[in-house]
């Protein structure tokens, strides 16, 4: 969404400036200018929210970042900026597991907010890290509300409250009970939903749409609704790197966003394009013999696991020789099964032990020589990327022995409550499954080993496993991805989808309920889990022509489309057609077609194909900016007579007049025909009804498009 939608101008105050000084002082950001860029973006984002002054109102927004791109820093900056502009209470829904709650609340948010020596003017922090019982804070919050609403209390004494709660139904219930009965009217609040596409959405939506109308919303969704009901003046900001589910839920759902804001990652960020498009040599597809079904792991360590671990050791030795500091880590994600984690944990530990023993042997010993040859091959693989000017292998030989001694191995899953102690060693290998997915930060990750298959082919779930994204440009040459071939393909396909959806949201003007839900996505991938969707996602295919067959669905639709078409026609410079003098033609950029026809409505079977065309044309605009299309105004707008089809309600018997109309096209460009019709129905005649036809150019290779058709949110 562009800045044109901003309806108020937040200002940067003391709280935000203090946060910036802390982030630079602690080395979280390289320079003040980096924080200024975050503030500028936060001002644009907050400007789309409801203002914290004035009448009570409720707004819902979607904030789209990248995986491992620093969304927590954005949330904290937005919270600080909100405080500077009158917000009194901030609620952060952080993670669905204890480790994620601790990671967010204690390791990131708390130090960011407690950045002032004089905390008497700072935030009052409340969280459910140690105890979910929030009842003891009732009197504290009531006193704060009294101060916030009092004109006798100086502004500098009105300390804000920041509450961090696990996104778990029992924790959320505690929060709604805390808020219940408090005088929140007139108290401006901000709710930040971290990883918003997870847990909080209504997982019973598809069942209700299928006929189980008496089924209630899922429990966590109900808890969030209860919290929002206690806050008459608030903005609800959903943060995620995978927006498919929030964008595709019902427009009538209380979590359906009113606007979207696309975050820009900082310098040095490496995402899908860096690995799967620009540097494909960093991706190694695992051979069929190294793949396995969950709960049927191999009996011996696969060769590819040994190669991946040796690549990791080379990278760790490079860091040690360069004395460049910082931890380096490897992630082993075999499957979602804990027994498989234990098997691979044993493989990793046994290999490390064996290699340590081999390096203790005399350098002439065959076992020592064989291992050094394997490590030399790993060196060639790492150096072969051409992305890193690493020291000669001879300089690393002695260091490898000490690197092996220092590696710490961790099992990270729900059976093991330990947290990774990143300060305990310079090198770490983490073995686990879903606990290492969404939201979990793996520090200094260089090598990923993931034989896990795509499972249900949900694109957002697969993308959230990409812990290997992040700010890695300075050591990208040391990174390697050992992946299941299907997972590697899914990531390659996701790159185009991710860029397409971000471009569409960034360019969209106006409320999100008018955004056409059509995006590029390979047909074997699903955008998200189906249980949260009340409307199916469809997969149209392009044909020679799209012809509007249901142009007179309702009188309101006729009026809307007539107004939209007339405004578009007024922007064009028509000339007499050289093919048929009865018609007029004009040229216009494809961008203009998208911009002017965004409100044009198609109904019934037309709507799926029309929305699919929107996706294909958007893709052409993105790949070939400035491309023009041809507009044919059939008979210069003279109204043609058409008959309503007696077998299909609101369908006309035909749009085209045979080859006369189909010949009116430009084979090399997109062609848009605009028709004006008088449609004779059984009981009435519909006058001056616009109808359109579109043809894609010859040779057009239609990328897979997926669309969803929803009723307009009132």
């Amino acid at each position: 969404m562009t800045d044109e939608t901003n309806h108020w101008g937040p200002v940067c105050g003391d709280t935000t400036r203090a946060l910036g000084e802390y982030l630079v002082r602690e080395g979280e950001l390289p320079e003040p200018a980096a924080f200024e860029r975050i503030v500028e973006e936060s001002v644009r984002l907050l400007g789309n929210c409801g203002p914290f002054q004035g009448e009570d109102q409720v707004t819902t927004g979607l904030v789209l970042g990248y995986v491992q791109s620093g969304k927590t820093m954005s949330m904290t900056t937005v919270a600080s900026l909100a405080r500077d502009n009158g917000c009194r209470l901030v609620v952060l829904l952080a993670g669905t597991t204890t480790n994620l709650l601790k990671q967010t609340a204690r390791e990131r948010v708390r130090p960011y907010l407690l950045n002032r020596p004089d905390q008497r003017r700072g935030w009052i922090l409340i969280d459910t890290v140690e105890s979910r019982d929030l009842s003891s804070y009732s009197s504290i919050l009531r006193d704060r509300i009294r101060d916030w609403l009092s004109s006798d209390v100086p502004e500098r004494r009105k300390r804000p409250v920041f509450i961090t709660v696990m996104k778990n139904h029992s924790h959320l219930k505690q929060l709604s009970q805390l808020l219940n009965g408090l005088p929140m009217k007139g108290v401006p609040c901000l709710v930040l939903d971290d990883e918003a596409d997870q847990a909080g959405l209504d997982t019973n939506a598809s069942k209700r749409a299928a006929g189980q109308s008496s089924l209630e919303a899922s429990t966590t969704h109900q808890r969030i609704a209860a919290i929002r009901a206690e806050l008459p003046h608030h903005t609800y900001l959903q943060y995620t790197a995978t927006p498919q589910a929030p964008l595709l839920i019902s427009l009538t759902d209380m979590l359906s966003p009113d606007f979207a804001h696309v975050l820009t990652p900082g310098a040095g960020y490496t995402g899908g394009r860096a690995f799967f498009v620009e540097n494909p040599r960093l991706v190694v597809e695992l051979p069929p013999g190294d793949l396995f079904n969950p709960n049927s792991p191999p009996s011996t360590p696969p060769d590819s696991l040994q190669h991946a671990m040796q690549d990791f050791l080379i990278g760790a030795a490079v860091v040690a020789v360069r004395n460049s500091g910082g931890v380096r880590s490897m992630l082993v994600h075999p499957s979602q099964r804990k027994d498989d984690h234990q098997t691979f944990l044993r493989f990793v530990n046994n290999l490390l032990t064996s290699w340590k023993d081999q390096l203790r042997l005399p350098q002439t010993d065959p076992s020592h020589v064989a291992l050094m040859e394997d490590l030399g091959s790993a060196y060639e693989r790492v150096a072969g990327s051409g992305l890193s000017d690493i020291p000669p292998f001879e300089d690393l030989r002695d260091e490898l022995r000490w690197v092996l001694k220092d590696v710490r191995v961790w099992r990270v899953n729900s059976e093991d409550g330990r947290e990774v102690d990143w300060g305990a060693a310079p090198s770490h290998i983490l073995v686990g499954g879903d606990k290492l997915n969404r939201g979990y930060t793996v520090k200094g990750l260089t090598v990923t080993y993931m034989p896990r298959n795509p499972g249900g082919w949900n694109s957002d779930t697969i993308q959230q496993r990409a812990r290997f994204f992040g700010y890695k440009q300075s050591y990208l040459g040391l990174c390697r991805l050992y992946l299941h071939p299907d997972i590697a393909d899914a990531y390659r396909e996701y790159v185009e989808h991710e860029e397409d959806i971000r471009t569409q949201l960034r360019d969209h003007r106006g409320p999100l309920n008018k955004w056409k839900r059509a995006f590029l996505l390979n047909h074997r991938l699903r955008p998200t889990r189906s249980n949260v969707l009340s409307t199916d996602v469809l997969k149209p295919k392009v044909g020679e022509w799209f012809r509007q067959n249901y142009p007179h669905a309702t009188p309101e639709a006729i009026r809307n489309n007539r107004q939209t078409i007339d405004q578009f026609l007024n922007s064009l410079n028509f000339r007499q057609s050289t093919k048929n003098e009865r018609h007029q033609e004009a040229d216009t950029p494809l961008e203009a077609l998208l911009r002017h026809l965004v409100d044009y409505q198609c109904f019934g079977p037309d709507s799926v194909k029309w929305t699919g065309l929107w996706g294909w044309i958007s893709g052409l605009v993105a790949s070939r900016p400035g491309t023009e299309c041809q507009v044919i105004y059939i008979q210069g707008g003279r109204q043609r007579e058409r008959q309503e089809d007696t077998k299909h309600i609101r369908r006309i018997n035909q749009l085209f007049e045979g080859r006369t109309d189909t010949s009116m096209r430009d084979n090399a460009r997109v062609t848009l025909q605009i028709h004006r019709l008088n449609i004779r129905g059984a009981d009435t005649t519909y006058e001056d009804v616009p109808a359109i036809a579109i043809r894609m150019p010859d040779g057009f290779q239609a990328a897979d498009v997926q669309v969803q058709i929803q009723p307009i949110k009132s």
Side-chain angles (χ1 to χ4, degrees):
M1 181 167 292
T2 65
D3 295 341
E4 293 178 12
T5 59
N6 291 10
H7 53 273
W8 67 290
V11 296
C12 181
D14 291 344
T15 306
T16 308
R17 283 191 289 269
L19 173 63
E21 292 168 0
Y22 168 84
L23 293 172
V24 174
R25 184 172 65 248
E26 295 297 315
E28 298 272 355
L29 290 173
E31 57 185 358
F35 185 68
E36 290 303 317
R37 289 189 289 271
I38 296 174
V39 170
E40 290 172 5
E41 188 158 58
S42 299
V43 167
R44 293 195 298 270
L45 166 56
L46 208 59
N48 285 314
C49 304
F52 297 111
Q53 307 291 340
E55 298 294 324
D56 287 352
Q57 58 180 296
V58 175
T59 307
T60 303
L62 177 67
V63 187
L64 178 54
Y66 285 87
V67 171
Q68 299 283 284
S69 65
K71 295 187 294 295
T72 302
M73 192 174 293
S74 170
M75 286 190 290
T76 314
T77 306
V78 167
S80 299
L81 192 65
R83 178 196 172 179
D84 284 336
N85 288 272
C87 180
R88 304 302 186 191
L89 171 66
V90 177
V91 175
L92 171 61
L93 310 183
T96 59
T97 60
T98 302
N99 69 313
L100 285 181
L101 181 63
K102 288 181 178 179
Q103 188 182 69
T104 301
R106 291 294 171 94
E107 296 178 18
R108 301 181 193 171
V109 171
R110 180 173 286 269
Y112 285 2
L113 297 180
L114 298 180
N115 56 61
R116 291 186 172 190
D118 182 8
Q119 282 306 317
R120 290 174 298 177
R121 299 184 183 180
W123 295 89
I124 296 174
L125 301 185
I126 301 171
D127 64 52
T128 57
V129 172
E130 304 301 336
S131 172
R132 71 184 66 174
D133 183 8
L134 299 177
S135 59
S136 60
Y137 295 101
S138 179
S139 61
I140 295 175
L141 194 53
R142 189 176 293 275
D143 285 344
R144 291 295 111 196
I145 294 171
R146 189 179 297 113
D147 289 346
W148 296 337
L149 298 176
S150 173
S151 58
D152 296 331
V153 177
E155 183 65 29
R156 63 189 180 88
R157 297 291 186 184
K158 295 183 177 183
R159 292 182 64 187
V161 174
F162 195 109
I163 304 177
T164 306
V165 182
M166 185 189 295
K167 200 166 18 168
N168 167 282
H169 65 89
S170 61
H171 289 243
L172 296 171
K173 183 178 181 180
Q174 285 286 324
L175 177 58
S176 70
Q177 290 174 341
L178 171 65
L179 296 173
N180 183 257
L182 292 175
M184 298 302 298
K185 183 174 177 56
V187 177
C189 307
L190 174 66
V191 182
L192 303 169
D193 186 348
D194 192 15
E195 305 294 348
D197 60 308
Q198 185 191 32
L201 301 179
D202 180 12
T203 56
N204 290 331
S206 63
K207 292 180 180 178
R208 282 205 308 279
Q212 299 183 39
S213 57
S214 61
L215 187 65
E216 293 185 338
S218 52
T219 305
T220 301
H221 188 77
Q222 290 186 54
R223 296 286 187 262
I224 293 175
I227 291 168
R228 298 193 69 178
E230 299 293 343
L231 305 175
H233 188 171
H234 78 274
T235 289
Y236 192 96
L237 283 183
Q238 304 174 80
Y239 273 79
T240 183
T242 46
Q244 293 86 350
L247 289 170
L248 296 174
I249 61 175
S250 170
L251 296 179
T252 62
D253 192 295
M254 60 104 182
L255 292 180
S256 179
D258 302 307
F259 70 90
H261 180 91
V262 180
L263 295 175
T264 303
Y269 180 79
T270 53
R273 173 164 288 276
F275 288 97
F276 297 98
V277 178
E278 297 168 355
N279 304 291
R281 295 177 67 179
L282 300 180
V283 181
V284 180
E285 294 189 11
L286 299 176
D290 289 358
L291 306 177
F292 62 93
N293 293 321
N295 267 1
S296 299
S299 58
T300 59
D303 289 344
S304 56
L305 175 64
Q306 299 184 55
H307 293 165
M309 290 175 62
Q310 289 164 356
D311 289 358
F312 169 66
L313 294 174
I314 291 295
V318 169
V319 172
V321 167
R322 286 177 173 170
N323 197 27
S324 52
V327 300
R328 289 294 178 264
S329 61
M330 175 179 176
L331 172 61
V332 180
H333 186 147
S335 79
Q336 75 274 33
R337 301 287 184 176
K338 294 169 187 152
D339 289 346
D340 296 340
H341 305 164
Q342 189 61 39
T343 297
F344 274 79
L345 185 74
R346 186 175 67 253
F347 287 163
V348 169
N349 280 319
N350 289 347
L351 285 170
L352 291 175
T353 299
S354 175
W355 292 343
K356 291 176 190 176
D357 292 341
Q358 287 175 262
L359 288 185
R360 292 191 188 101
L361 296 171
Q363 293 188 10
T364 56
D365 186 280
S367 293
H368 184 106
V369 172
L371 177 58
M372 293 311 298
E373 288 177 353
D374 288 344
L375 290 169
S377 297
Y379 175 86
E380 294 300 327
R381 289 194 296 269
V382 175
S385 69
L387 297 175
S388 182
D389 183 20
I390 66 177
F393 182 59
E394 290 302 315
D395 293 353
L396 304 180
R397 290 177 64 100
D398 184 60
E399 193 63 44
L400 284 165
R401 177 181 175 185
W402 302 104
V403 166
L404 271 166
K405 282 178 172 287
D406 288 336
V407 174
R408 287 288 303 272
V409 181
W410 307 84
R411 182 176 65 165
V412 184
N413 60 27
S414 57
E415 276 190 353
D416 194 327
R418 291 185 303 163
E419 300 300 322
V420 176
D421 183 358
W422 297 104
S427 304
H428 304 261
I429 299 179
L430 281 61
V431 182
D434 290 343
K435 195 172 179 180
L436 291 170
N437 279 357
R438 178 187 305 273
Y440 193 92
T441 298
V442 183
K443 295 186 179 180
L445 180 59
T446 55
V447 177
T448 297
Y449 185 81
M450 192 186 299
R452 182 173 182 175
N453 64 36
W457 288 90
N458 290 333
S459 60
D460 52 357
T461 300
I462 293 170
Q463 179 72 345
Q464 285 291 351
R465 294 179 194 156
R467 298 299 99 192
F468 42 82
F469 293 169
Y471 292 92
K472 304 180 184 300
Q473 191 62 51
S474 62
Y475 59 92
L476 184 61
L478 303 180
C479 295
R480 285 295 181 280
L481 311 179
Y482 284 77
L483 304 177
H484 189 295
D486 288 343
I487 283 284
D489 283 343
Y491 282 123
R492 293 187 190 100
E493 293 158 359
Y494 193 90
V495 170
E496 182 182 33
H497 167 64
E498 183 175 51
E499 293 179 351
D500 169 60
I501 202 167
R502 289 173 187 278
T503 299
Q504 287 196 51
L505 291 174
R506 192 180 291 113
D507 293 344
H508 178 71
R509 292 166 171 80
L512 266 186
N513 60 11
K514 292 189 175 183
W515 176 62
K516 285 185 169 54
R517 281 145 175 82
F519 39 77
L520 304 177
L521 184 61
N522 188 282
H523 280 178
R524 67 174 173 169
L525 284 165
R526 299 191 303 179
T528 189
R529 58 203 186 278
S530 59
N531 63 343
V532 301
L533 305 183
S534 57
T535 305
D536 290 337
V537 176
L538 306 172
K539 302 171 182 179
K541 295 186 180 297
V542 69
E544 184 181 12
W545 279 95
F546 161 71
R547 287 173 274 194
Q548 194 174 359
N549 294 313
Y550 297 81
H552 62 303
T554 65
E556 292 78 13
I558 295 172
R559 286 193 295 271
N560 172 82
N561 287 351
R562 187 186 299 134
Q563 180 181 6
T564 300
I565 287 295
D566 287 344
Q567 290 175 347
F568 181 44
L569 293 172
N570 289 335
S571 71
L572 302 173
N573 294 315
F574 281 103
R575 58 185 179 274
Q576 193 175 59
S577 172
T578 56
K579 289 185 177 181
N580 188 323
E581 62 183 13
R582 293 185 302 160
H583 308 311
Q584 296 178 357
E585 62 184 51
D587 303 314
T588 191
L590 276 177
E591 293 96 325
L593 185 151
L594 293 177
R595 184 170 65 253
H596 283 281
L597 297 190
V598 65
D599 290 329
Y600 193 86
Q601 299 175 20
C602 289
F603 296 88
D606 290 342
S607 61
V608 175
K609 189 63 175 292
W610 167 238
T611 309
L613 280 164
W614 200 266
W616 286 310
I617 293 173
S618 296
L620 276 178
V621 169
S623 61
R624 288 184 265 172
T627 298
E628 290 195 331
C629 72
Q630 183 185 58
V631 180
I632 305 293
Y633 197 21
I634 297 297
Q635 295 193 2
R638 187 177 69 83
Q639 294 163 21
R640 292 171 159 183
E641 300 296 318
R642 289 292 181 268
Q643 187 74 34
E644 190 175 64
D645 191 331
T646 57
K647 296 181 180 180
H648 300 87
I649 298 175
R650 297 289 188 247
R651 177 187 169 97
I652 57 175
N653 52 12
Q654 64 178 21
L655 178 62
F656 284 166
E657 291 185 354
R659 294 182 180 178
T660 302
D661 284 354
T662 58
S663 66
M664 298 303 300
R665 68 193 190 202
D666 186 332
N667 291 336
R669 296 185 293 173
V670 173
T671 298
L672 167 68
Q673 290 185 2
I674 299 175
H675 300 248
R676 311 295 284 244
L677 308 175
N678 287 331
I679 302 173
R680 295 192 303 275
D683 301 319
T684 186
T685 297
Y686 302 88
E687 297 183 349
D688 192 16
V689 179
I692 62 173
I694 294 179
R695 185 183 187 275
M696 302 302 284
D698 287 352
F700 172 70
Q701 298 295 316
D704 286 350
V705 166
Q706 301 195 30
V707 308
Q708 186 194 59
I709 310 300
Q710 290 202 33
I712 299 298
K713 182 180 178 182
S714 60

